[in-house]
PDB file of all heavy atoms in Angstrom:
ATOM      1  N   ILE L 334     106.184  96.212  96.135  1.00 93.00           N
ATOM      2  CA  ILE L 334     104.978  96.579  95.330  1.00 93.00           C
ATOM      3  C   ILE L 334     105.328  96.685  93.845  1.00 93.00           C
ATOM      4  O   ILE L 334     104.544  96.176  93.013  1.00 93.00           O
ATOM      5  CB  ILE L 334     104.285  97.872  95.818  1.00 93.00           C
ATOM      6  CG1 ILE L 334     103.931  97.755  97.243  1.00 93.00           C
ATOM      7  CG2 ILE L 334     103.139  98.221  94.953  1.00 93.00           C
ATOM      8  CD1 ILE L 334     103.530  99.082  97.945  1.00 93.00           C
ATOM      9  N   GLU L 335     106.402  97.310  93.474  1.00 92.00           N
ATOM     10  CA  GLU L 335     106.643  97.717  92.099  1.00 92.00           C
ATOM     11  C   GLU L 335     107.744  96.917  91.413  1.00 92.00           C
ATOM     12  O   GLU L 335     107.759  96.859  90.188  1.00 92.00           O
ATOM     13  CB  GLU L 335     107.071  99.259  92.106  1.00 92.00           C
ATOM     14  CG  GLU L 335     106.026 100.098  92.693  1.00 92.00           C
ATOM     15  CD  GLU L 335     106.477 101.544  92.689  1.00 92.00           C
ATOM     16  OE1 GLU L 335     107.633 101.758  92.354  1.00 92.00           O
ATOM     17  OE2 GLU L 335     105.644 102.415  92.935  1.00 92.00           O
ATOM     18  N   GLY L 336     108.777  96.393  92.105  1.00 93.00           N
ATOM     19  CA  GLY L 336     109.893  95.833  91.480  1.00 93.00           C
ATOM     20  C   GLY L 336     109.726  94.416  91.035  1.00 93.00           C
ATOM     21  O   GLY L 336     108.643  93.784  91.259  1.00 93.00           O
ATOM     22  N   ASP L 337     110.808  93.807  90.557  1.00 95.00           N
ATOM     23  CA  ASP L 337     110.723  92.413  90.242  1.00 95.00           C
ATOM     24  C   ASP L 337     110.446  91.600  91.453  1.00 95.00           C
ATOM     25  O   ASP L 337     109.979  90.416  91.412  1.00 95.00           O
ATOM     26  CB  ASP L 337     112.105  91.953  89.615  1.00 95.00           C
ATOM     27  CG  ASP L 337     112.137  92.297  88.211  1.00 95.00           C
ATOM     28  OD1 ASP L 337     111.656  91.612  87.343  1.00 95.00           O
ATOM     29  OD2 ASP L 337     112.741  93.359  87.768  1.00 95.00           O
ATOM     30  N   LEU L 338     110.740  92.161  92.657  1.00 95.00           N
ATOM     31  CA  LEU L 338     110.411  91.592  93.940  1.00 95.00           C
ATOM     32  C   LEU L 338     109.023  91.262  94.153  1.00 95.00           C
ATOM     33  O   LEU L 338     108.679  90.478  94.999  1.00 95.00           O
ATOM     34  CB  LEU L 338     111.026  92.463  95.016  1.00 95.00           C
ATOM     35  CG  LEU L 338     111.103  91.929  96.442  1.00 95.00           C
ATOM     36  CD1 LEU L 338     112.006  90.745  96.450  1.00 95.00           C
ATOM     37  CD2 LEU L 338     111.568  93.088  97.422  1.00 95.00           C
ATOM     38  N   GLN L 339     108.105  91.959  93.388  1.00 94.00           N
ATOM     39  CA  GLN L 339     106.649  91.619  93.551  1.00 94.00           C
ATOM     40  C   GLN L 339     106.261  90.177  93.269  1.00 94.00           C
ATOM     41  O   GLN L 339     105.205  89.693  93.754  1.00 94.00           O
ATOM     42  CB  GLN L 339     105.839  92.548  92.638  1.00 94.00           C
ATOM     43  CG  GLN L 339     106.029  92.283  91.141  1.00 94.00           C
ATOM     44  CD  GLN L 339     105.366  93.425  90.251  1.00 94.00           C
ATOM     45  OE1 GLN L 339     104.151  93.401  89.939  1.00 94.00           O
ATOM     46  NE2 GLN L 339     106.179  94.400  89.981  1.00 94.00           N
ATOM     47  N   GLN L 340     107.195  89.454  92.606  1.00 94.00           N
ATOM     48  CA  GLN L 340     106.988  88.001  92.319  1.00 94.00           C
ATOM     49  C   GLN L 340     107.209  87.145  93.606  1.00 94.00           C
ATOM     50  O   GLN L 340     106.802  85.930  93.561  1.00 94.00           O
ATOM     51  CB  GLN L 340     107.915  87.617  91.193  1.00 94.00           C
ATOM     52  CG  GLN L 340     107.843  88.353  89.924  1.00 94.00           C
ATOM     53  CD  GLN L 340     108.834  87.868  88.982  1.00 94.00           C
ATOM     54  OE1 GLN L 340     108.670  86.932  88.278  1.00 94.00           O
ATOM     55  NE2 GLN L 340     109.953  88.637  88.854  1.00 94.00           N
ATOM     56  N   MET L 341     107.940  87.596  94.532  1.00 96.00           N
ATOM     57  CA  MET L 341     108.443  86.824  95.600  1.00 96.00           C
ATOM     58  C   MET L 341     107.558  86.912  96.829  1.00 96.00           C
ATOM     59  O   MET L 341     106.871  87.931  97.103  1.00 96.00           O
ATOM     60  CB  MET L 341     109.888  87.287  95.965  1.00 96.00           C
ATOM     61  CG  MET L 341     110.776  87.403  94.680  1.00 96.00           C
ATOM     62  SD  MET L 341     110.798  85.961  93.722  1.00 96.00           S
ATOM     63  CE  MET L 341     111.800  84.775  94.758  1.00 96.00           C
ATOM     64  N   PRO L 342     107.684  85.841  97.711  1.00 96.00           N
ATOM     65  CA  PRO L 342     106.931  85.868  98.953  1.00 96.00           C
ATOM     66  C   PRO L 342     107.357  86.993  99.901  1.00 96.00           C
ATOM     67  O   PRO L 342     108.552  87.486  99.769  1.00 96.00           O
ATOM     68  CB  PRO L 342     107.140  84.511  99.561  1.00 96.00           C
ATOM     69  CG  PRO L 342     108.372  84.038  98.944  1.00 96.00           C
ATOM     70  CD  PRO L 342     108.451  84.649  97.588  1.00 96.00           C
ATOM     71  N   ALA L 343     106.520  87.348 100.879  1.00 95.00           N
ATOM     72  CA  ALA L 343     106.792  88.554 101.711  1.00 95.00           C
ATOM     73  C   ALA L 343     107.988  88.266 102.593  1.00 95.00           C
ATOM     74  O   ALA L 343     108.618  89.251 102.992  1.00 95.00           O
ATOM     75  CB  ALA L 343     105.559  88.773 102.550  1.00 95.00           C
ATOM     76  N   ASP L 344     108.340  87.055 102.785  1.00 96.00           N
ATOM     77  CA  ASP L 344     109.534  86.747 103.659  1.00 96.00           C
ATOM     78  C   ASP L 344     110.795  86.575 102.901  1.00 96.00           C
ATOM     79  O   ASP L 344     111.892  86.239 103.390  1.00 96.00           O
ATOM     80  CB  ASP L 344     109.236  85.559 104.536  1.00 96.00           C
ATOM     81  CG  ASP L 344     109.058  84.250 103.802  1.00 96.00           C
ATOM     82  OD1 ASP L 344     108.914  84.333 102.500  1.00 96.00           O
ATOM     83  OD2 ASP L 344     108.813  83.146 104.314  1.00 96.00           O
ATOM     84  N   PHE L 345     110.776  86.818 101.543  1.00 97.00           N
ATOM     85  CA  PHE L 345     112.020  86.711 100.776  1.00 97.00           C
ATOM     86  C   PHE L 345     112.974  87.843 101.173  1.00 97.00           C
ATOM     87  O   PHE L 345     112.556  89.060 101.128  1.00 97.00           O
ATOM     88  CB  PHE L 345     111.721  86.797  99.262  1.00 97.00           C
ATOM     89  CG  PHE L 345     112.861  86.643  98.328  1.00 97.00           C
ATOM     90  CD1 PHE L 345     113.362  85.429  98.013  1.00 97.00           C
ATOM     91  CD2 PHE L 345     113.550  87.873  97.869  1.00 97.00           C
ATOM     92  CE1 PHE L 345     114.483  85.249  97.207  1.00 97.00           C
ATOM     93  CE2 PHE L 345     114.604  87.675  97.005  1.00 97.00           C
ATOM     94  CZ  PHE L 345     115.093  86.366  96.687  1.00 97.00           C
ATOM     95  N   ALA L 346     114.201  87.495 101.572  1.00 97.00           N
ATOM     96  CA  ALA L 346     115.062  88.498 102.218  1.00 97.00           C
ATOM     97  C   ALA L 346     115.745  89.396 101.074  1.00 97.00           C
ATOM     98  O   ALA L 346     116.143  88.887 100.045  1.00 97.00           O
ATOM     99  CB  ALA L 346     116.188  87.730 102.925  1.00 97.00           C
ATOM    100  N   VAL L 347     115.764  90.690 101.499  1.00 98.00           N
ATOM    101  CA  VAL L 347     116.518  91.649 100.633  1.00 98.00           C
ATOM    102  C   VAL L 347     117.275  92.623 101.509  1.00 98.00           C
ATOM    103  O   VAL L 347     117.076  92.650 102.752  1.00 98.00           O
ATOM    104  CB  VAL L 347     115.564  92.482  99.689  1.00 98.00           C
ATOM    105  CG1 VAL L 347     114.798  91.575  98.758  1.00 98.00           C
ATOM    106  CG2 VAL L 347     114.582  93.279 100.584  1.00 98.00           C
ATOM    107  N   THR L 348     118.235  93.357 100.869  1.00 98.00           N
ATOM    108  CA  THR L 348     118.998  94.367 101.660  1.00 98.00           C
ATOM    109  C   THR L 348     118.806  95.630 100.975  1.00 98.00           C
ATOM    110  O   THR L 348     118.996  95.785  99.697  1.00 98.00           O
ATOM    111  CB  THR L 348     120.505  93.836 101.616  1.00 98.00           C
ATOM    112  OG1 THR L 348     120.704  92.604 102.264  1.00 98.00           O
ATOM    113  CG2 THR L 348     121.335  94.959 102.329  1.00 98.00           C
ATOM    114  N   GLU L 349     118.571  96.669 101.725  1.00 98.00           N
ATOM    115  CA  GLU L 349     118.538  98.020 101.213  1.00 98.00           C
ATOM    116  C   GLU L 349     119.993  98.538 100.929  1.00 98.00           C
ATOM    117  O   GLU L 349     120.821  98.421 101.635  1.00 98.00           O
ATOM    118  CB  GLU L 349     117.721  98.965 102.117  1.00 98.00           C
ATOM    119  CG  GLU L 349     116.261  98.648 102.236  1.00 98.00           C
ATOM    120  CD  GLU L 349     115.429  99.600 102.999  1.00 98.00           C
ATOM    121  OE1 GLU L 349     115.976 100.228 103.881  1.00 98.00           O
ATOM    122  OE2 GLU L 349     114.264  99.665 102.733  1.00 98.00           O
ATOM    123  N   LEU L 350     120.036  99.271  99.841  1.00 98.00           N
ATOM    124  CA  LEU L 350     121.384  99.742  99.275  1.00 98.00           C
ATOM    125  C   LEU L 350     122.114 100.517 100.363  1.00 98.00           C
ATOM    126  O   LEU L 350     123.357 100.510 100.566  1.00 98.00           O
ATOM    127  CB  LEU L 350     121.234 100.537  97.989  1.00 98.00           C
ATOM    128  CG  LEU L 350     122.443 100.987  97.356  1.00 98.00           C
ATOM    129  CD1 LEU L 350     123.443  99.926  97.000  1.00 98.00           C
ATOM    130  CD2 LEU L 350     122.164 101.911  96.154  1.00 98.00           C
ATOM    131  N   TRP L 351     121.370 101.455 100.999  1.00 98.00           N
ATOM    132  CA  TRP L 351     122.030 102.354 102.013  1.00 98.00           C
ATOM    133  C   TRP L 351     122.856 101.578 103.070  1.00 98.00           C
ATOM    134  O   TRP L 351     123.764 101.985 103.586  1.00 98.00           O
ATOM    135  CB  TRP L 351     120.980 103.253 102.623  1.00 98.00           C
ATOM    136  CG  TRP L 351     120.098 102.625 103.626  1.00 98.00           C
ATOM    137  CD1 TRP L 351     118.890 102.009 103.435  1.00 98.00           C
ATOM    138  CD2 TRP L 351     120.258 102.526 105.063  1.00 98.00           C
ATOM    139  NE1 TRP L 351     118.311 101.550 104.456  1.00 98.00           N
ATOM    140  CE2 TRP L 351     119.168 101.828 105.557  1.00 98.00           C
ATOM    141  CE3 TRP L 351     121.217 102.966 105.880  1.00 98.00           C
ATOM    142  CZ2 TRP L 351     119.014 101.652 106.899  1.00 98.00           C
ATOM    143  CZ3 TRP L 351     121.074 102.748 107.307  1.00 98.00           C
ATOM    144  CH2 TRP L 351     120.008 102.073 107.806  1.00 98.00           C
ATOM    145  N   GLN L 352     122.217 100.381 103.453  1.00 98.00           N
ATOM    146  CA  GLN L 352     122.941  99.554 104.411  1.00 98.00           C
ATOM    147  C   GLN L 352     124.244  99.021 103.985  1.00 98.00           C
ATOM    148  O   GLN L 352     125.145  98.899 104.771  1.00 98.00           O
ATOM    149  CB  GLN L 352     121.942  98.323 104.787  1.00 98.00           C
ATOM    150  CG  GLN L 352     120.706  98.822 105.450  1.00 98.00           C
ATOM    151  CD  GLN L 352     119.757  97.589 105.603  1.00 98.00           C
ATOM    152  OE1 GLN L 352     119.351  96.940 104.724  1.00 98.00           O
ATOM    153  NE2 GLN L 352     119.371  97.341 106.830  1.00 98.00           N
ATOM    154  N   VAL L 353     124.344  98.755 102.701  1.00 98.00           N
ATOM    155  CA  VAL L 353     125.607  98.307 102.154  1.00 98.00           C
ATOM    156  C   VAL L 353     126.616  99.572 102.065  1.00 98.00           C
ATOM    157  O   VAL L 353     127.773  99.429 102.395  1.00 98.00           O
ATOM    158  CB  VAL L 353     125.513  97.776 100.702  1.00 98.00           C
ATOM    159  CG1 VAL L 353     126.858  97.405 100.076  1.00 98.00           C
ATOM    160  CG2 VAL L 353     124.653  96.541 100.756  1.00 98.00           C
ATOM    161  N   LEU L 354     126.100 100.657 101.654  1.00 98.00           N
ATOM    162  CA  LEU L 354     126.969 101.830 101.483  1.00 98.00           C
ATOM    163  C   LEU L 354     127.473 102.335 102.849  1.00 98.00           C
ATOM    164  O   LEU L 354     128.549 102.936 102.887  1.00 98.00           O
ATOM    165  CB  LEU L 354     126.192 102.964 100.744  1.00 98.00           C
ATOM    166  CG  LEU L 354     125.735 102.696  99.320  1.00 98.00           C
ATOM    167  CD1 LEU L 354     124.860 103.788  98.791  1.00 98.00           C
ATOM    168  CD2 LEU L 354     126.934 102.437  98.433  1.00 98.00           C
ATOM    169  N   THR L 355     126.716 102.183 103.850  1.00 98.00           N
ATOM    170  CA  THR L 355     127.174 102.595 105.239  1.00 98.00           C
ATOM    171  C   THR L 355     127.964 101.493 105.892  1.00 98.00           C
ATOM    172  O   THR L 355     128.484 101.726 107.066  1.00 98.00           O
ATOM    173  CB  THR L 355     125.932 102.928 106.065  1.00 98.00           C
ATOM    174  OG1 THR L 355     125.072 101.831 106.233  1.00 98.00           O
ATOM    175  CG2 THR L 355     125.305 104.187 105.502  1.00 98.00           C
ATOM    176  N   GLY L 356     128.065 100.363 105.309  1.00 98.00           N
ATOM    177  CA  GLY L 356     128.858  99.259 105.906  1.00 98.00           C
ATOM    178  C   GLY L 356     128.143  98.483 106.971  1.00 98.00           C
ATOM    179  O   GLY L 356     128.660  97.570 107.646  1.00 98.00           O
ATOM    180  N   GLN L 357     126.767  98.645 107.099  1.00 97.00           N
ATOM    181  CA  GLN L 357     126.028  97.919 108.022  1.00 97.00           C
ATOM    182  C   GLN L 357     125.639  96.465 107.552  1.00 97.00           C
ATOM    183  O   GLN L 357     125.379  95.565 108.403  1.00 97.00           O
ATOM    184  CB  GLN L 357     124.722  98.743 108.376  1.00 97.00           C
ATOM    185  CG  GLN L 357     124.928 100.018 109.029  1.00 97.00           C
ATOM    186  CD  GLN L 357     123.716 100.818 109.367  1.00 97.00           C
ATOM    187  OE1 GLN L 357     122.627 100.111 109.752  1.00 97.00           O
ATOM    188  NE2 GLN L 357     123.677 102.013 109.227  1.00 97.00           N
ATOM    189  N   ARG L 358     125.561  96.331 106.228  1.00 97.00           N
ATOM    190  CA  ARG L 358     125.358  94.999 105.767  1.00 97.00           C
ATOM    191  C   ARG L 358     126.370  94.717 104.658  1.00 97.00           C
ATOM    192  O   ARG L 358     126.836  95.607 103.990  1.00 97.00           O
ATOM    193  CB  ARG L 358     123.851  94.992 105.143  1.00 97.00           C
ATOM    194  CG  ARG L 358     122.714  95.122 106.170  1.00 97.00           C
ATOM    195  CD  ARG L 358     122.481  93.895 106.991  1.00 97.00           C
ATOM    196  NE  ARG L 358     122.063  92.793 106.173  1.00 97.00           N
ATOM    197  CZ  ARG L 358     120.746  92.549 105.835  1.00 97.00           C
ATOM    198  NH1 ARG L 358     119.790  93.479 106.217  1.00 97.00           N
ATOM    199  NH2 ARG L 358     120.404  91.565 105.112  1.00 97.00           N
ATOM    200  N   ALA L 359     126.530  93.396 104.372  1.00 96.00           N
ATOM    201  CA  ALA L 359     127.479  92.956 103.308  1.00 96.00           C
ATOM    202  C   ALA L 359     126.835  93.164 101.987  1.00 96.00           C
ATOM    203  O   ALA L 359     125.626  92.978 101.739  1.00 96.00           O
ATOM    204  CB  ALA L 359     127.886  91.565 103.567  1.00 96.00           C
ATOM    205  N   GLY L 360     127.675  93.394 100.989  1.00 96.00           N
ATOM    206  CA  GLY L 360     127.246  93.333  99.560  1.00 96.00           C
ATOM    207  C   GLY L 360     127.769  92.085  98.966  1.00 96.00           C
ATOM    208  O   GLY L 360     127.425  90.992  99.419  1.00 96.00           O
TER     209      GLY L 360
END
Side-chain angles (χ1 to χ4, degrees):
I334 297 169
E335 300 179 352
D337 281 277
L338 191 59
Q339 67 190 270
Q340 306 172 78
M341 309 307 287
D344 61 353
F345 183 81
V347 298
T348 300
E349 290 185 334
L350 180 61
W351 73 273
Q352 297 172 301
V353 177
L354 297 174
T355 58
Q357 297 183 36
R358 296 282 297 275

